[in-house]
């Protein structure tokens, strides 16, 4: 048997004419990427054969985003090859970690939603479930963030240069996608026939990223579509004298898979985004249908063999696209097609924020996708008719799919899917009690909850090997395979020596992070200080500003009132969507605080503020294991779930949070004594909205708020002031930072006092690790598989 490392050696020889001791790091990297992919391809072959033979039901996961993170370490770890490769490289003078660092972090997503999709693929594969992911091969993923003078700047992320070795191009499975043009209806002897004319043709090329599972037989495929001009088609246009159109269609094709829109939790409303959505859903649907038909020679049983999951509304065009294929290509009647469609799709909602609920203007949409538009309009007509019959007419204002000339994608998904789920208990409750109340009335039982989860193999086993090997030795259970087993740690919650060991590991992870902080920002931080972490996208509702207000509060107290708090390092990581001015101002504000404090010989001994640029999966893997405090301080009712909160908990950070999203379930899991909860609850927030939130009242009645805000007005560093932020907090701020200010500051004092009692803090931290089992993506995906998708593992 040729070992894996022999194959690496042979690749270096045949590809580069080098033996391993002559090879460069870059060459070793390429050899590892390619050979790992080959290894997965082989495994995939066996797995796929079993899957095909069994003819079992399969899940297809549609998502505009998969934030895969680096793949090499994950794959070697899952395949059980890491040790062998490490030893082999060391023997030949290489360090595996340095090779890992060559791999670009594929940033094919914005934040939580994209990372969730990848966590789920990892978890399903580890459990041998058959699942195929579909998305877009963006040439540029989420931008690289550089902080210049405190301001965010965006640079293109050209990840494919070094990142493409893991991809397998499948030219044999290209499909054609049609945009624009017009439809013609014709009565034939078979009934109404629809033809699509004068369209623009684009080719979708598939690139497969193979996803490994931890010690599993399964290898699943993430299929990424890349757009390419249809040269042959355009040549014909050209010959017909339609020169302009032939060139236009090249331009359209080239732009579709160019870049990921960097807007998190926000609707962009751009024509190119419509094209991206239709491009990848149409390509995926065509492939699913074609494969199904090749196996069964009918589509009648599609819903028995296929479930298509829609990750938020971004892939919602799957629905009319399947209708189109059934109606126009396979000549189903509307009723029969609709009967199949409404048994095939399941939809997850990830937000209730109004500005993130996707709407398309009919005027923008209809010319780009004329046939898809007419199908949506017909779905809506029939739905409205039905509502009239069942006496739900008065609620059509909110439930209609097309309203005021806008297409509401969430409504389309709810009407057409057999299941709709939210992503945490609180969020799912809000969906049925508030956001989609009318729908819940007419579709009882359609709505349910699956609380999010995380791929614990990446978020503890790989990113915190020190903690993992310690817990393996101590607990002697395979919690890497089954995270629920980590609960055995709870038995040690009063064991001082275990608590001390855990503290030493935390200190080690903090030292590793400090080194990185020093290298990237020049700031020296105290490893003994509390590492207080807020890492997530920059958004007003997430309230990085509230955190900053507390920092200003501390600054003043230290400088003017002689306060000497427990030393603390506030660590931030956050990208702002490029058009989001307030978010960029907040980054500038945080960076200014950092600079101001560094310049103060007293304050800097107690407080440090570190803004780490370019927060992404790879950086999260460094920061999270080092955290003591996990800031989850969104306005109650706004964060659908959060998943960073789970990653931080699993690594022993204590949550300081509002009763929002999955914080509610973290609170339930660890108990009131092992978490710091503050602030208004969701009903209290709603009450305050109803009565009218007047932030000026908080300003007037609290001298601490006044002093903090007025102090901010005096900050003027390098010509920047923050009056706009102060005015916003006093006059509008829908997220009510001032309403929660006191409660937050008080909790922060409690955090500090608790930290002084090392043993108590350590025990709380231990309980958090022990109780994190339910937040494994294995648990979440098992719920999807059993309760929603009705799929089985491949045996
Ligand atoms: C996103 O990351 C999330 C929701 C969105 O709604 C869009 C994006 Cl890009 C359309 C996040 C939620 O904000 C977060 O609370 C949740 O944990 C995550 O999705 C995964 O469900």
């Amino acid at each position: 048997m040729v070992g894996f490392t022999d194959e690496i050696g042979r690749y270096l020889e045949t590809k580069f004419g080098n033996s391993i001791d002559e090879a460069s790091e870059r060459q070793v990297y390429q050899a590892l990427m390619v050979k790992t992919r080959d290894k997965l391809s082989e495994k995939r072959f066996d797995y796929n054969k079993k899957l095909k033979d069994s003819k079992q039901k399969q899940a297809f996961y549609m998502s505009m985003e998969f934030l895969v993170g680096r793949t090499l370490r994950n794959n070697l770890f899952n395949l059980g090859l890491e040790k062998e490769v490490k030893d082999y490289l060391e023997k030949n003078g290489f360090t595996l970690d340095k090779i890992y660092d060559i791999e670009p972090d594929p940033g094919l997503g914005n934040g939580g939603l994209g990372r969730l999709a990848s966590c789920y693929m990892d978890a399903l594969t580890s459990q041998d479930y058959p699942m195929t992911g579909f998305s877009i091969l963006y040439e540029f993923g989420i931008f690289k963030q550089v902080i210049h003078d405190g301001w965010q700047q965006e640079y293109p992320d050209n990840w494919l240069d070094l990142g493409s070795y893991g991809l397998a191009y499948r030219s044999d499975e290209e499909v054609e996608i049609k945009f624009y043009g017009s439809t013609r209806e014709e009565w034939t002897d078979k009934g109404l026939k629809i033809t699509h004319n004068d369209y623009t043709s684009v080719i979708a090329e598939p690139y497969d990223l193979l996803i490994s599972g931890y010690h599993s037989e399964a290898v699943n495929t993430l299929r990424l579509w890349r757009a390419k001009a249809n040269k042959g088609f355009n040549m014909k246009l050209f010959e017909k004298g339609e020169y302009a159109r032939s060139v236009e269609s090249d331009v359209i094709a080239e732009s579709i898979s160019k870049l990921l829109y960097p807007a998190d939790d926000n609707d962009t409303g751009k024509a190119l985004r419509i094209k991206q959505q239709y491009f990848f859903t149409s390509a995926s649907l065509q492939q699913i249908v074609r494969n199904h038909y090749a196996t069964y020679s009918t589509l009648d049983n599609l819903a028995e063999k296929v479930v298509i999951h829609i990750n938020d509304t971004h892939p919602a065009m799957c629905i009319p696209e399947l209708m189109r294929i059934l109606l126009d290509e396979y000549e189903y009647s509307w009723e029969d097609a609709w009967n199949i469609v409404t048994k095939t799709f399941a939809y997850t909602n990830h937000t209730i924020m109004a500005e993130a609920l996707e709407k398309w203007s009919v005027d923008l949409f209809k010319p780009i996708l004329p046939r898809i538009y007419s199908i949506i309009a017909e779905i809506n007509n029939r739905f409205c008719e039905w509502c009239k019959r069942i006496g739900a007419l008065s609620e059509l204002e909110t439930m209609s799919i097309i309203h005021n000339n806008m297409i509401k994608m969430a409504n389309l998904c709810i009407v057409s899917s057999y299941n709709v789920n939210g992503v945490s208990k609180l969020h799912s409750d809000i969906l049925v009690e508030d956001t989609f109340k009318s729908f819940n009335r007419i579709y009882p039982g359609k709505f349910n909850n699956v609380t999010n989860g995380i791929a614990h193999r990446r978020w503890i086993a790989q990113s915190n090997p020190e903690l993992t090997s310690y817990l393996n030795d101590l607990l002697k259970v395979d919690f890497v395979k089954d995270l629920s087993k980590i609960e055995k740690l709870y038995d040690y919650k009063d064991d001082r020596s275990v608590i001390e060991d855990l503290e030493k590991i935390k200190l080690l992870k903090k030292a590793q992070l400090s080194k990185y902080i020093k290298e990237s920002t020049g700031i020296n931080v105290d490893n003994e200080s509390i590492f207080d972490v807020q890492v997530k996208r920059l958004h007003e509702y997430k309230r990085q500003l509230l955190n900053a207000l507390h920092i200003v509060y501390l600054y003043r107290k230290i400088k003017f009132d002689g306060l000497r708090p427990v030393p603390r390092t506030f660590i931030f990581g956050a990208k702002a969507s490029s058009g989001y001015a307030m978010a960029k101002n907040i980054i500038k504000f945080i960076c200014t605080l950092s600079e101001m404090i560094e310049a103060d010989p007293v304050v800097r001994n107690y407080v440090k503020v570190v803004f780490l640029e370019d927060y992404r999966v790879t950086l999260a893997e460094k920061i999270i294991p080092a955290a003591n405090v996990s800031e989850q301080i969104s306005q109650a009712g706004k964060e659908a779930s959060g998943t960073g909160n789970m990653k931080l908990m699993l690594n022993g950070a204590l949550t300081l949070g509002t009763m929002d999203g999955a914080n509610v379930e973290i609170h339930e899991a660890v108990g009131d004594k092992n978490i710091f909860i503050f602030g208004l609850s969701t009903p209290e927030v709603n009450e305050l909205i109803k009565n009218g939130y007047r932030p000026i009242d908080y300003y007037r009645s609290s001298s601490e708020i006044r002093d903090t805000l007025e102090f901010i007005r005096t900050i003027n560093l390098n010509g920047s002031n923050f009056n706009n932020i102060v005015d916003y907090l006093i006059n509008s701020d829908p997220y009510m930072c001032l309403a929660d200010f006191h409660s937050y500051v008080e909790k922060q004092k409690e955090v500090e006092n608790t930290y002084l009692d090392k043993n108590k803090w350590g025990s709380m931290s231990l309980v958090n690790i022990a109780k994190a089992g339910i937040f494994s993506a294995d648990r979440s995906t098992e719920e999807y598989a059993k309760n929603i998708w009705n799929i089985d593992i491949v045996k």
Side-chain angles (χ1 to χ4, degrees):
M1 247 281 291
V2 194
F4 185 69
T5 52
D6 299 325
E7 288 181 39
I8 301 298
R10 186 157 331 150
Y11 183 89
L12 290 169
E13 286 163 22
T14 52
K15 185 86 192 172
F16 303 113
N18 280 343
S19 62
I20 175 92
D21 47 303
E22 299 160 323
S24 65
E25 285 183 342
R26 171 68 181 71
Q27 290 169 339
V28 172
Y29 161 73
Q30 183 172 331
L32 280 170
M33 289 291 283
V34 170
K35 284 289 134 193
T36 305
R37 186 192 69 196
D38 289 351
K39 183 111 198 149
L40 290 174
S41 299
E42 276 169 39
K43 273 191 88 165
R44 166 79 190 163
F45 180 79
D46 297 334
Y47 175 74
N48 204 31
K49 179 151 181 17
K50 277 201 214 166
L51 174 60
K52 278 194 203 144
D53 291 349
S54 74
K55 293 198 168 179
Q56 68 195 84
K57 189 176 185 187
Q58 295 188 52
F60 297 90
Y61 200 89
M62 302 285 171
S63 180
M64 284 285 272
E65 308 187 6
F66 279 85
L67 206 41
V68 281
R70 282 182 177 155
T71 62
L72 185 57
R73 181 177 64 182
N74 185 243
N75 288 333
L76 294 181
F77 177 87
N78 283 341
L79 292 167
L81 290 170
E82 206 179 17
K83 174 96 178 56
E84 180 187 335
V85 170
K86 192 171 193 275
D87 293 347
Y88 168 72
L89 292 187
E90 267 166 22
K91 220 171 55 204
N92 291 289
F94 294 96
T95 314
L96 183 54
D97 281 336
K98 280 173 83 181
I99 305 290
Y100 287 154
D101 273 338
I102 298 174
E103 186 181 357
D105 184 336
L108 311 183
N110 273 286
L113 170 142
R115 184 54 228 170
L116 188 78
S118 279
C119 281
Y120 282 180
M121 265 210 92
D122 291 350
L124 286 157
T125 311
S126 291
Q127 296 168 99
D128 286 321
Y129 278 111
M131 184 259 217
T132 304
F134 283 111
S135 192
I136 296 172
L137 186 75
Y138 301 106
E139 197 175 319
F140 299 104
I142 184 79
F143 61 84
K144 285 233 161 307
Q145 179 194 52
V146 173
I147 302 295
H148 193 261
D149 236 359
W151 293 104
Q152 166 178 301
Q153 288 178 350
E154 299 102 29
Y155 290 90
D157 160 45
N158 209 328
W159 71 285
L160 281 170
D161 282 356
L162 282 170
S164 61
Y165 297 111
L167 297 168
Y169 173 41
R170 293 291 306 273
S171 55
D172 55 314
E173 297 201 346
E174 288 184 354
V175 288
E176 182 186 15
I177 317 293
K178 299 174 182 175
F179 296 98
Y180 297 105
S182 53
T183 53
R184 207 179 54 229
E185 299 180 357
E186 230 176 326
W187 284 97
T188 69
D189 47 354
K190 282 192 192 139
L192 189 65
K193 177 106 189 106
I194 311 278
T195 49
H196 191 176
N197 306 301
D198 300 328
Y199 55 83
T200 298
S201 168
V202 172
I203 298 295
E205 301 179 321
Y207 287 79
D208 289 346
L209 190 64
L210 295 180
I211 305 297
S212 59
Y214 176 68
H215 296 185
S216 75
E217 299 209 351
V219 175
N220 282 313
T221 307
L222 171 55
R223 174 153 285 194
L224 303 170
W225 298 100
R226 177 179 218 167
K228 159 175 105 170
N230 191 342
K231 292 288 179 205
F233 181 89
N234 294 342
M235 187 51 81
K236 284 202 201 100
L237 284 179
F238 181 74
E239 283 160 3
K240 281 196 286 177
E242 300 207 45
Y243 173 68
R245 261 189 71 210
S246 84
V247 175
E248 259 166 42
S249 91
D250 280 1
V251 172
I252 289 168
E254 243 92 86
S255 62
I256 288 179
S257 54
K258 245 320 162 233
L259 96 161
L260 167 84
Y261 277 100
D264 173 84
D265 257 345
N266 200 46
D267 182 15
T268 60
K270 293 274 196 307
L272 181 55
R273 175 91 171 173
I274 295 184
K275 289 175 199 156
Q276 290 188 330
Q277 294 184 345
Y278 184 64
F279 168 75
F280 100 95
T281 50
S282 173
S284 310
L285 254 292
Q286 289 185 54
Q287 184 204 304
I288 292 169
V289 169
R290 186 203 282 156
N291 289 349
H292 182 91
Y293 197 84
T295 311
Y296 300 101
S297 309
T298 175
L299 298 179
D300 292 353
N301 63 341
L302 188 77
E304 286 157 44
K305 297 294 176 183
V306 164
V307 51
I308 301 173
H309 202 87
I310 302 182
N311 199 26
D312 215 88
T313 57
H314 317 144
M317 289 173 208
C318 275
I319 293 162
E321 176 65 2
L322 181 56
M323 283 301 285
R324 183 192 69 77
I325 294 171
L326 293 169
L327 294 168
D328 300 357
E329 293 180 14
Y330 289 83
E331 298 179 338
Y332 275 81
S333 70
W334 182 279
E335 287 73 18
D336 291 344
W338 184 242
N339 192 31
I340 294 172
V341 164
T342 49
K343 291 193 176 95
T344 303
F345 293 100
Y347 152 61
T348 298
N349 172 284
H350 292 266
T351 186
I352 56 149
M353 304 258 298
E355 67 266 34
L357 293 177
E358 270 191 308
K359 292 188 203 69
W360 292 114
S361 115
V362 171
D363 299 335
L364 186 70
F365 191 103
K366 196 172 162 187
I368 302 174
L369 301 171
R371 178 63 179 140
I372 295 301
Y373 174 74
S374 74
I375 291 171
I376 294 173
E378 184 62 18
I379 293 174
N380 189 45
N381 286 340
R382 289 172 186 246
F383 170 69
C384 293
E385 281 304 318
W386 179 68
C387 285
K388 278 179 206 161
R389 285 202 300 278
I390 63 166
L393 195 60
S394 63
E395 288 154 288
L396 270 185
E397 175 109 359
T398 58
M399 293 196 297
S400 179
I401 297 167
I402 303 173
H403 185 70
N404 287 340
N405 220 30
M406 298 293 274
I407 311 169
K408 297 185 181 177
M409 300 310 269
N411 292 7
L412 174 64
C413 288
I414 296 169
V415 170
S416 317
S417 302
Y418 69 86
N419 195 282
V420 179
N421 76 283
V423 290
S424 72
K425 280 183 192 161
L426 176 70
H427 170 64
S428 297
D429 286 347
I430 294 172
L431 290 184
V432 297
E433 283 160 20
D434 189 4
T435 321
F436 300 132
K437 192 175 173 166
S438 307
F439 280 117
N440 186 49
R441 204 174 63 78
I442 63 168
Y443 297 126
K446 196 185 262 204
F447 288 81
N448 51 33
N449 172 246
V450 181
T451 298
N452 283 169
I454 57 170
H456 66 274
R457 296 167 195 101
R458 181 180 289 267
W459 295 108
I460 184 170
Q462 293 162 42
S463 62
N464 201 340
E466 297 88 348
L467 178 57
T468 303
S469 82
Y470 175 77
L471 293 177
N472 274 331
D473 292 347
L474 177 75
L475 305 177
K476 300 191 171 57
V477 294
D478 194 355
F479 71 88
V480 178
K481 187 82 200 162
D482 174 1
L483 191 66
S484 70
K485 298 212 164 104
I486 206 168
E487 189 154 10
K488 198 166 172 220
L489 180 62
Y490 191 77
D491 298 345
Y492 297 89
K493 74 176 192 324
D494 303 313
D495 185 323
R496 275 182 182 257
S497 85
V498 169
I499 290 170
E500 275 167 27
D501 289 342
L502 291 175
E503 199 188 311
K504 277 186 206 131
I505 293 165
K506 182 61 81 180
L507 200 59
L508 179 71
K509 300 310 281 181
K510 287 165 80 174
Q512 291 169 4
L513 182 60
S514 300
K515 191 162 165 279
Y516 179 82
I517 292 173
K518 176 69 188 167
E519 284 162 11
S520 58
T521 67
I523 300 177
N524 284 309
V525 303
D526 171 6
N527 294 342
E528 305 281 338
S529 67
I530 305 173
F531 277 27
D532 182 316
V533 168
Q534 187 170 21
V535 285
K536 48 185 80 248
R537 285 298 289 256
L538 204 309
H539 218 296
E540 285 154 90
Y541 84 81
K542 294 176 189 281
R543 300 199 299 189
Q544 280 93 350
L545 253 187
L546 181 59
N547 190 341
L549 285 182
H550 170 246
I551 294 169
V552 173
Y553 166 89
L554 286 177
Y555 181 94
R556 281 196 65 258
K557 292 273 165 188
I558 296 166
K559 203 168 166 64
F560 307 126
D561 300 344
L563 180 77
R564 296 296 175 253
V566 181
R568 197 158 347 180
T569 304
F570 292 96
I571 297 165
F572 291 88
K575 284 179 185 171
S577 173
S578 39
Y580 191 170
M582 181 52 108
K584 289 184 164 179
N585 284 337
I586 295 171
I587 292 176
K588 171 69 180 171
F589 183 46
I590 293 166
C591 292
T592 302
L593 294 179
S594 172
E595 207 185 317
M596 223 172 81
I597 290 169
E598 275 303 285
D600 190 300
V602 180
V603 180
R604 69 178 177 219
N605 298 316
Y606 300 95
V607 171
K608 295 262 170 171
V609 174
V610 175
F611 190 99
L612 289 174
E613 67 186 8
D614 205 30
Y615 181 63
R616 61 197 185 283
V617 173
T618 304
L619 187 51
E621 289 167 7
K622 287 197 202 348
I623 298 173
I624 289 170
N628 297 120
V629 175
S630 159
E631 298 263 2
Q632 307 301 336
I633 60 179
S634 50
Q635 182 188 43
K638 293 299 186 294
E639 190 68 270
S641 164
T643 43
N645 46 2
M646 302 168 185
K647 295 163 197 167
L648 283 152
M649 169 197 196
L650 177 59
N651 281 274
L654 301 191
T655 303
L656 166 59
T658 49
M659 278 297 223
D660 199 13
N663 299 351
V664 175
E665 287 153 83
I666 294 178
H667 174 256
E668 190 178 295
V670 300
D672 207 38
K673 289 200 181 67
N674 296 300
I675 190 166
F676 302 98
I677 296 290
F678 74 96
L680 298 175
S681 65
T682 304
E684 285 166 346
V685 167
N686 290 337
E687 189 63 22
L688 196 46
I689 293 173
K690 218 176 74 199
N691 300 334
Y693 171 59
R694 280 174 306 274
I696 188 80
D697 295 349
Y698 296 82
Y699 175 88
R700 291 207 176 108
S701 63
S702 157
S703 61
E704 308 229 286
I705 290 180
R706 267 197 318 274
D707 290 348
T708 305
L709 294 180
E710 289 312 316
F711 180 76
I712 295 173
R713 289 195 196 278
T714 69
I715 299 175
N716 193 324
L717 207 64
N718 312 323
S720 293
N721 71 66
F722 300 97
N723 288 326
N724 61 339
I725 288 183
V726 176
D727 293 338
Y728 162 82
L729 287 167
I730 299 179
N731 299 320
S732 54
D733 179 20
Y735 306 107
M736 305 178 178
C737 287
L738 299 189
D740 278 345
F741 178 84
H742 279 288
S743 146
Y744 182 57
V745 168
E746 285 313 305
K747 262 305 149 186
Q748 285 284 22
K749 288 179 187 158
E750 200 181 312
V751 166
E752 200 182 311
N753 291 331
T754 312
Y755 194 75
L756 285 176
D757 183 345
K758 291 259 169 220
N759 192 53
K760 181 170 178 201
W761 185 279
S763 174
M764 291 170 74
S765 167
L766 178 154
V767 172
N768 272 266
I769 301 170
K771 296 289 183 180
I774 52 169
F775 299 111
S776 168
D778 292 356
R779 188 269 311 148
S780 313
T781 52
E782 189 88 29
E783 289 179 21
Y784 279 101
K786 292 214 161 82
N787 305 340
I788 299 176
W789 299 339
N790 191 23
I791 59 166
D792 230 324
I793 64 170
V794 178
K795 290 179 196 113

